[in-house]
């Protein structure tokens, strides 16, 4: 059996492989391209392509694919073989620089928000050399960007790479003002913690709602949920442990540093956390993590549920996007050091981030908005829909001192002494953690906790990168024109902290009091996706993205249209699934049960005419009324769904689904869930919540 060090990254065309297989000058040229973002030379691409092909064939690859991220939320790939004919009966294995750099895909078959009509099919995929190629299932996967024939971005990666360039450009301007003339590139890094549920495959296959929509549309709560808090960090069940072990090993071969795994708060819920990577690589790796979770779960007779809220009444699943800013040498600019009050560079960057979050609350909210996440935000471990920042006591005090022009009198870190001689004492952190905060500073990074478990993490990072780049740009404009740099920095920090202090909140984000206070502060409370999406193309947001070349106005409006369309499609699928399950499974099953109860009562009365049959009569009365209500709601839902589906304008359709269809769905569920608790289990056609969450 191979060791972890032997298998780690063994299927990745990474830096070590390139250094070994590429000529020295070609390797240096490629590294320069990656470091600076400059265009790669065609002759260099040919050499890289040939080396990549030879390496991939040694790893068992026969095909290659340009792997890209269309606006579907998942990845896409088209496989081509390395085979090239020579004469009538022979072939050779070839792969050119041109094939590496550029591919072609049908751009009209993916969401485009009107950018591509059916007859306008041509689209291009372009190699991202800063994200390593890898071999999977006998195919060489080449991470790429995806654009239309006319040059508009049709994917999530293109804006992400542009946003990374933007924060590099503007961030370097600030560093130069601080006398740093050696840093060549700034990169954002991300570590995305991934939450998920596991269910037995046989049970999963009996639930059409899980199959079609990823979440349970019906289901009475089990007698036990997560209230005893016994699942969180609890011992791993043997099936789960075996699944996690195989998952880790598969991810390690792809160079994904799967570091932490544990049980999460809800029954059958778990989490995987990787180590930080450069943001574009972190996005690619998170997509692979989700793919492999599903694939390896199947191999173990399980199914991985990545929906944000598969089960009502227990925690939903998200992912925590840990965002930081580093130089090319690995220096973390969000590390405050031992004396943060004296670290002016850190404090200025902190001011820039607070300004960015405050001014673009709406974009951060949009970046995590989805029909699935609407079911999760504000409940359990999920933060509320109001964007705010938690900094902790020490940084709060430093900011307050700067605003007031006071000298900060630092606190010494306390010592934790449990009073047990055999357990050593240790230094406490200078601040607590706040699990209700949407965006929390956690030592040397910001943890954005609003993301849904199924989503591509690119868009939240596009927003964060671009918004911070804008703050950097404005700061650099001011400071470059200043006669007294130190005085200008001090005043800029004071003004920025004072103006944007409203975004800082360290209390309970779940409380009603915070909702009231946030409104008084002027913070946005975009409670659902439809309300959030409306803000996407506000003039200030168009200006932000266009100023930094991240997205054009056309690209923004197309994405807004896609978001509304996707929301409508998801709710439509859920509505149709509820109709089918209720009409064809649940209502007939309850009717059958009521009939059998009535027959039993009649049989009893035929033998003992004076018996009351109170139980039977009560069940018949209650279930008949509920079944009739469910039947009526199914009919009502059919009409509402058809009306919403007929609306051509995507925004208007989304409004109809949210305001009309969803409430009827909720009423139908209430009736059905009440019937489940009254119907004998032998008659109920669906596995229960207890079956799904506790039989893994």
């Amino acid at each position: 059996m191979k060791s972890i060090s032997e298998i780690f990254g063994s299927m990745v065309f990474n830096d070590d492989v390139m250094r070994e297989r590429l000529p020295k000058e070609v390797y240096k040229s490629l590294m320069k391209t990656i470091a600076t973002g400059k265009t790669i030379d065609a002759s260099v691409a040919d050499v890289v392509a040939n080396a990549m092909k030879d390496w991939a064939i040694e790893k068992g690859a026969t095909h290659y694919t340009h792997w890209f991220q269309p606006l579907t939320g998942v990845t896409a790939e088209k496989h081509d073989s390395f085979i090239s004919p020579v004469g009538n009966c022979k072939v050779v294995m070839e792969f050119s620089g041109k094939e590496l750099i550029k591919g072609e895909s049908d751009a009209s078959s993916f969401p485009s928000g009107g950018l591509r009509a059916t007859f306008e099919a041509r689209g291009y995929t372009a190699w991202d050399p800063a994200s390593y190629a890898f071999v999977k299932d006998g195919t060489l996967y080449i991470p790429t960007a995806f654009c239309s024939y006319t040059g508009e971005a049709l994917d999530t990666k293109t804006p992400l790479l542009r946003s990374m360039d933007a924060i590099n450009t503007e961030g370097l301007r600030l560093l130069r003002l601080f006398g740093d003339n050696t840093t060549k590139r700034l990169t954002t890094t991300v570590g995305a913690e991934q939450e998920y549920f596991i269910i037995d495959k046989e049970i999963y296959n009996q639930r059409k709602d899980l199959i079609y929509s990823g979440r349970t549309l019906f289901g009475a709560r089990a007698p036990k949920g997560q209230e005893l808090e016994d699942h969180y960090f609890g011992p791993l069940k043997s099936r789960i442990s075996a699944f996690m072990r195989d998952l880790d090993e598969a991810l390690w071969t792809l160079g994904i540093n799967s570091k932490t795994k544990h049980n999460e708060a809800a029954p059958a819920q778990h989490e995987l956390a990787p180590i930080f990577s450069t943001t574009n690589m972190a996005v690619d790796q998170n997509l692979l993590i989700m793919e492999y979770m599903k694939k390896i779960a199947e191999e173990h007779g399980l199914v991985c549920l990545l929906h944000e809220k598969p089960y009502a009444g227990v925690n939903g699943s998200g992912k925590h996007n840990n965002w930081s800013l580093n130089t090319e040498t690995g220096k973390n600019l969000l590390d405050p050091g031992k004396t943060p009050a004296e670290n002016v560079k850190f404090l200025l960057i902190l001011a820039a981030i607070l300004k960015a979050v405050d001014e673009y609350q709406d974009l951060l909210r949009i970046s995590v908005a989805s029909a699935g996440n609407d079911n999760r935000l504000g409940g359990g471990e999920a933060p509320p829909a109001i964007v705010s920042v938690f900094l902790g006591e020490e940084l709060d005090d430093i900011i307050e001192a700067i605003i007031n022009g006071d000298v900060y009198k630092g606190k010494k870190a306390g010592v934790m002494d449990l009073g047990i001689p055999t357990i050593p004492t240790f230094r406490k952190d200078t601040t607590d953690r706040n699990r209700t905060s949407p965006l929390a500073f956690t030592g040397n990074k910001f943890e954005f906790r609003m993301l849904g478990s199924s989503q591509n993490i690119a868009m939240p990072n596009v927003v964060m990168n671009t918004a911070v780049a804008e703050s950097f740009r404005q700061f650099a404009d001011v400071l470059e024109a200043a006669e007294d740099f130190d005085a200008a920095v001090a005043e800029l920090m004071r003004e920025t902290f004072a103006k944007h202090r409203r975004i800082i909140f360290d209390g309970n984000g779940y409380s009603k009091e915070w909702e009231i206070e946030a409104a008084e502060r002027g913070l946005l409370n975009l409670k659902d996706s439809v309300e959030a999406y409306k803000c996407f193309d506000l003039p200030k947001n168009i200006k932000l993205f266009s100023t930094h070349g991240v997205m054009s106005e056309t690209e923004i409006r197309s994405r807004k249209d896609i978001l509304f369309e996707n929301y409508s499609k998801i709710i439509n699928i859920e509505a149709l699934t509820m109709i089918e399950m209720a009409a064809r499974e649940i209502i007939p099953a309850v009717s059958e049960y009521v009939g059998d109860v009535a027959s039993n009562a009649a049989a009893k009365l035929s033998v003992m005419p004076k018996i009351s049959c109170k139980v039977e009569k009560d069940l018949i009365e209650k279930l008949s009324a509920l079944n009739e209500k469910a039947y009526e709601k199914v009919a009502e839902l059919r009409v509402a769904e058809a009306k919403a589906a007929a609306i051509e304008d995507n925004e208007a359709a989304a409004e109809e689904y949210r305001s009309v269809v969803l409430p009827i769905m909720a009423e139908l569920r209430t009736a059905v869930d009440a019937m489940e608790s009254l119907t004998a289990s032998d008659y109920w056609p669906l596995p229960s919540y207890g079956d799904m969450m506790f039989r893994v």
Side-chain angles (χ1 to χ4, degrees):
M1 182 177 176
K2 291 184 177 180
S3 67
I4 295 174
S5 60
E6 288 177 301
I7 68 170
F8 189 84
S10 58
M11 304 303 283
V12 183
F13 194 71
N14 56 28
D15 186 72
D16 289 341
V17 176
M18 289 188 280
R19 187 184 292 110
E20 176 187 338
R21 290 177 174 259
L22 296 176
K24 187 175 181 180
E25 291 306 311
V26 170
Y27 172 77
K28 287 173 64 177
S29 177
L30 180 59
M31 291 302 104
K32 184 177 180 181
T33 294
I34 294 172
T36 62
K38 303 299 181 184
T39 304
I40 191 168
D41 183 82
S43 61
V44 170
D46 275 327
V47 177
V48 174
N50 190 59
M52 193 182 286
K53 175 209 61 175
D54 290 344
W55 170 83
I57 290 171
E58 291 172 18
K59 297 294 182 181
T62 57
H63 290 67
Y64 69 92
T65 181
H66 274 199
W67 185 60
F68 59 102
Q69 302 166 24
L71 298 172
T72 56
V74 293
T75 58
E77 54 199 62
K78 179 186 73 171
H79 297 214
D80 291 296
S81 73
F82 291 121
I83 292 175
S84 183
V86 179
N88 294 326
C89 303
K90 294 184 178 180
V91 296
V92 294
M93 306 292 269
E94 291 184 339
F95 184 52
S96 68
K98 182 179 178 182
E99 290 169 316
L100 170 62
I101 290 173
K102 187 191 82 172
E104 186 173 331
S105 180
D106 184 347
S108 65
S109 297
F110 294 102
S112 71
L115 291 177
R116 296 269 85 189
T118 303
F119 65 90
E120 297 173 316
R122 193 181 298 277
Y124 296 115
T125 50
W127 175 37
D128 171 17
S131 193
Y132 297 139
F134 56 92
V135 169
K136 178 171 77 74
D137 300 328
T139 299
L140 172 65
Y141 280 71
I142 303 161
T144 58
F146 178 45
C147 67
S148 72
Y149 179 71
T150 48
E152 293 94 356
L154 297 176
D155 66 345
T156 58
K157 171 160 276 197
T158 301
L160 179 69
L161 294 174
R162 291 170 178 170
S163 74
M164 292 173 69
D165 279 340
I167 199 168
N168 168 63
T169 299
E170 303 302 338
L172 285 178
R173 289 177 65 195
L174 276 187
L175 291 188
R176 299 294 181 257
L177 290 166
F178 278 93
D180 181 350
N181 295 311
T182 58
T183 298
K184 296 178 181 178
R185 189 165 182 83
L186 290 181
T187 57
T188 53
T189 58
V190 165
E193 305 167 40
Q194 178 72 54
E195 295 174 345
Y196 60 98
F197 280 84
I198 290 290
I199 183 174
D200 183 271
K201 188 175 181 180
E202 288 187 9
I203 294 175
Y204 169 86
N205 286 336
Q206 298 173 57
R207 298 280 315 206
K208 289 181 180 177
D209 46 3
L210 287 178
I211 293 170
Y212 294 142
S213 72
R215 74 179 179 107
T216 53
L217 301 170
F218 299 112
R221 295 187 183 185
K224 179 180 184 293
Q226 64 189 64
E227 58 269 43
L228 292 180
E229 300 169 341
D230 53 342
H231 188 261
Y232 192 47
F233 281 15
L236 299 175
K237 294 182 179 180
S238 56
R239 281 181 87 184
I240 299 300
S241 181
F243 155 73
M244 287 180 169
R245 181 175 60 249
D246 289 351
L247 176 61
D248 278 341
E249 291 181 3
L251 295 178
W252 289 337
T253 66
L254 295 174
I256 299 172
N257 201 326
S258 176
K259 179 73 172 175
T260 303
K261 57 187 179 184
H262 62 83
N263 288 346
E264 254 298 333
Q269 187 185 31
H270 313 280
E271 182 178 302
L272 178 151
I275 286 178
F276 281 59
S277 299
T278 304
T279 304
N280 57 320
M281 291 183 65
V283 170
D284 291 352
Q285 290 180 354
N286 184 253
L287 290 166
L288 285 169
I289 286 170
M290 292 191 288
E291 179 186 335
Y292 269 77
M293 281 177 170
K294 292 179 179 179
K295 177 182 177 181
I296 292 174
E298 290 264 354
E299 295 171 1
H300 287 260
L302 304 166
V303 174
C304 175
L305 303 178
L306 290 171
H307 193 282
E308 285 73 20
K309 197 75 170 179
Y311 306 116
V314 296
N315 279 9
S317 293
K319 50 185 140 204
H320 301 171
N321 190 89
N322 294 285
W323 181 92
S324 194
L325 183 63
N326 290 34
T327 68
E328 82 279 4
T329 60
K331 182 179 180 182
N332 187 344
L333 298 181
L334 291 186
D335 184 353
K338 293 182 179 179
T339 54
E342 300 170 12
N343 190 340
V344 177
K345 189 188 302 180
F346 163 77
L347 290 173
L348 186 65
I349 292 173
L350 178 63
I353 292 169
L354 292 177
K355 171 181 165 68
V357 174
D358 189 18
E359 293 181 344
Y360 298 100
Q361 304 164 46
D362 53 349
L363 285 178
L364 285 168
R365 176 68 180 89
I366 290 165
S367 76
V368 300
S370 69
N373 217 17
D374 281 355
N375 296 297
R376 167 183 167 264
L377 290 178
E381 298 230 331
I386 303 167
V387 175
S388 64
V389 177
F390 171 80
L391 294 179
E393 212 173 304
E394 183 178 29
L395 290 180
D396 280 348
D397 289 347
I398 292 172
I399 288 172
E400 198 66 27
I402 291 172
I403 292 172
N404 296 328
D406 297 332
V407 176
Y408 172 69
K409 297 177 181 178
K411 296 179 181 178
K412 288 188 177 181
V415 175
M416 180 66 74
D417 185 353
L418 298 179
I420 303 171
T422 55
I423 295 180
T425 60
F426 55 88
R427 288 185 65 191
K428 292 171 61 176
D429 291 307
T430 55
T431 184
D432 203 346
R433 294 182 65 194
N434 188 330
R435 298 188 68 84
T436 71
S437 177
L439 189 64
F441 184 72
T442 54
N444 60 1
K445 62 188 184 297
F446 276 92
E447 184 180 24
F448 190 22
R449 304 182 66 250
M450 297 179 77
L451 285 71
S453 55
S454 67
Q455 80 170 100
N456 185 320
I457 66 172
M459 191 58 187
N461 288 292
V462 168
V463 173
M464 196 71 181
N465 291 348
T466 313
V468 174
E470 175 61 14
S471 293
F472 285 172
R473 184 188 71 81
Q474 293 183 26
F475 282 10
D477 285 349
V478 171
L479 296 176
E480 285 170 353
E483 294 183 5
D484 185 334
F485 176 75
D486 292 338
V489 168
E491 180 59 20
L492 183 59
M493 286 196 300
R494 191 196 65 77
E495 288 180 356
T496 305
F497 285 137
K499 184 176 181 180
H500 300 288
R501 178 167 48 178
R502 67 174 186 170
I503 202 69
I504 302 171
F505 178 66
D506 62 359
N508 180 7
Y510 295 159
S511 68
K512 290 292 183 184
E513 291 78 12
W514 167 233
E515 195 169 325
I516 295 168
E517 182 182 337
E520 292 172 350
R521 292 188 185 193
L523 301 182
L524 296 173
N525 187 5
L526 303 170
K527 293 186 176 182
D528 59 58
S529 295
V530 175
E531 287 304 307
Y533 296 157
K534 292 177 182 179
C535 301
F536 202 169
D537 58 352
L538 292 176
K540 74 177 184 68
N541 295 336
I542 292 173
K543 183 179 180 182
L544 171 72
F545 289 126
S546 59
T547 295
H548 295 278
V550 172
M551 283 188 284
S552 66
E553 182 173 348
T554 301
E555 290 169 334
I556 292 167
R557 294 194 189 283
S558 72
R559 278 160 174 75
K560 178 184 177 183
D561 196 52
I562 290 167
L563 289 170
F564 280 123
E565 181 182 24
N566 190 54
Y567 177 92
S568 297
K569 287 178 177 177
I570 289 171
I571 305 302
N572 187 57
I573 290 169
E574 291 183 349
L576 292 174
T577 302
M578 290 187 86
I579 290 169
E580 179 169 327
M581 291 175 69
R584 300 183 62 186
E585 297 180 62
I586 296 167
I587 291 174
V590 173
S591 182
E592 181 184 0
Y593 176 58
V594 169
D596 287 351
V597 171
S599 297
N600 289 338
K604 284 184 178 182
L605 289 169
S606 68
V607 176
M608 300 180 67
K610 294 184 179 181
I611 197 169
S612 70
C613 290
K614 177 174 173 54
V615 173
E616 290 84 354
K617 290 178 180 178
D618 196 39
L619 281 173
I620 291 168
E621 182 181 359
K622 288 179 179 178
L623 282 172
S624 295
L626 287 168
N627 215 22
E628 184 176 331
K629 183 177 181 182
Y631 183 80
E632 291 171 353
K633 289 300 170 184
V634 166
E636 194 177 336
L637 186 56
R638 288 186 197 274
V639 174
E641 181 278 326
K643 180 183 176 183
I647 298 173
E648 294 186 2
D649 180 78
N650 286 327
E651 183 173 345
E655 286 266 17
E656 186 76 7
Y657 277 108
R658 179 197 62 177
S659 303
V660 179
V661 176
L662 276 177
I664 300 172
M665 289 168 60
E667 290 177 311
L668 174 57
R669 174 167 189 160
T670 298
V672 168
D673 289 357
M675 289 195 293
E676 181 180 355
S677 64
L678 295 171
T679 304
S681 58
D682 289 347
Y683 287 79
W684 195 254
L686 307 173
S688 69
Y689 265 35
D691 294 332
M692 290 184 285
M693 292 192 292
F694 292 98
R695 290 177 56 187
V696 182

